[in-house]
């Protein structure tokens, strides 16, 4: 199967957001004191690192070049996380709010790609995206539980 430029672009956008998420989770883990929340954030950073490698491998398998870094929007988001965490009385609650917002956006991105009837994904790509999307949904559910715990 030949990947179209559109599929490659969409996967590269997802890859860039994965880089952003990994950096955001690392930043969040540095800012929190609750050991359970810290482990959760560190685990998600590692998971996103792995997601990135999986996406890069998939893009390369079809003869295209993967992106190498995150986005300016992601950099701005992390700056906003730093600022609001500094101003917030409950840093963990604020960081978990941002995790929830980011994960929901990620799920929408996966859904947009998976539900786009104009794109025909290779089975390996579709399976990869479904597995990653389900992991993101699980992370969102866990973040909500932690959010209730710290608020």
């Amino acid at each position: 199967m030949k990947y179209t430029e559109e599929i490659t672009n969409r996967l590269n956008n997802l890859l860039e957001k994965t880089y952003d998420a990994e950096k955001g989770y690392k930043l969040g883990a540095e800012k929190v004191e609750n050991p359970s929340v810290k482990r959760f954030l560190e685990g998600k950073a590692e998971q996103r690192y792995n997601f990135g490698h999986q996406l890069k491998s998939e893009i390369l398998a079809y003869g295209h070049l993967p992106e190498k870094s995150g986005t300016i929007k992601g950099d701005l988001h992390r700056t906003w996380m730093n600022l609001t965490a500094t101003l917030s009385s409950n840093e963990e609650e604020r960081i978990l709010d941002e995790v929830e917002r980011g994960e929901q956006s990620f799920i929408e991105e996966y859904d947009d790609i998976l539900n786009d009837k104009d794109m025909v994904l290779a089975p390996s790509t579709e399976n990869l995206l479904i597995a990653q999307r389900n992991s993101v949904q699980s992370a969102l559910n866990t973040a909500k539980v932690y959010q209730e715990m710290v608020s």
Side-chain angles (χ1 to χ4, degrees):
M1 164 175 240
K2 181 166 174 36
Y3 261 29
T4 66
E5 188 172 329
E6 180 184 3
I7 292 171
T8 300
N9 289 340
R10 302 274 301 267
L11 292 179
N12 268 316
N13 287 339
L14 191 58
L15 179 59
E16 287 178 319
K17 289 179 181 178
T18 298
Y19 293 141
D20 290 339
E22 178 188 356
K23 291 174 190 173
Y25 274 124
K26 285 180 180 177
L27 175 65
E30 292 171 7
K31 300 282 183 190
V32 300
E33 293 181 21
N34 181 306
S36 296
V37 174
K38 185 180 277 298
R39 278 191 304 276
F40 167 71
L41 295 172
E42 290 169 343
K44 293 301 124 191
E46 183 178 337
Q47 179 187 61
R48 295 312 155 85
Y49 173 83
N50 293 332
F51 280 9
H53 281 285
Q54 292 167 350
L55 287 167
K56 283 193 276 188
S57 294
E58 192 69 14
I59 293 166
L60 284 168
Y62 289 95
H64 294 266
L65 294 176
E67 293 294 328
K68 296 187 189 283
S69 65
T71 63
I72 292 172
K73 186 176 178 181
D75 291 339
L76 292 173
H77 182 78
R78 282 186 297 284
T79 300
W80 175 250
M81 279 178 64
N82 267 329
L83 177 62
T84 57
T86 301
L87 300 174
S88 176
S89 61
N90 187 341
E91 198 167 350
E92 290 161 348
E93 183 177 2
R94 182 69 186 133
I95 288 170
L96 289 167
D97 281 343
E98 292 302 319
V99 167
E100 284 185 47
R101 194 169 67 79
E103 295 300 65
Q104 190 58 51
S105 175
F106 237 116
I107 289 168
E108 291 168 9
E109 181 83 17
Y110 279 100
D111 286 346
D112 285 347
I113 295 170
L114 289 165
N115 296 326
D116 188 336
K117 301 300 179 197
D118 294 330
M119 286 195 320
V120 178
L121 298 173
S124 62
T125 303
E126 184 174 10
N127 292 336
L128 173 64
L129 295 179
I130 289 169
Q132 288 186 356
R133 187 231 179 263
N134 290 344
S135 293
V136 171
Q137 181 65 59
S138 177
L140 175 60
N141 295 342
T142 303
K144 288 178 181 180
V145 170
Y146 281 121
Q147 180 72 337
E148 291 173 13
M149 182 179 80
V150 299
S151 49

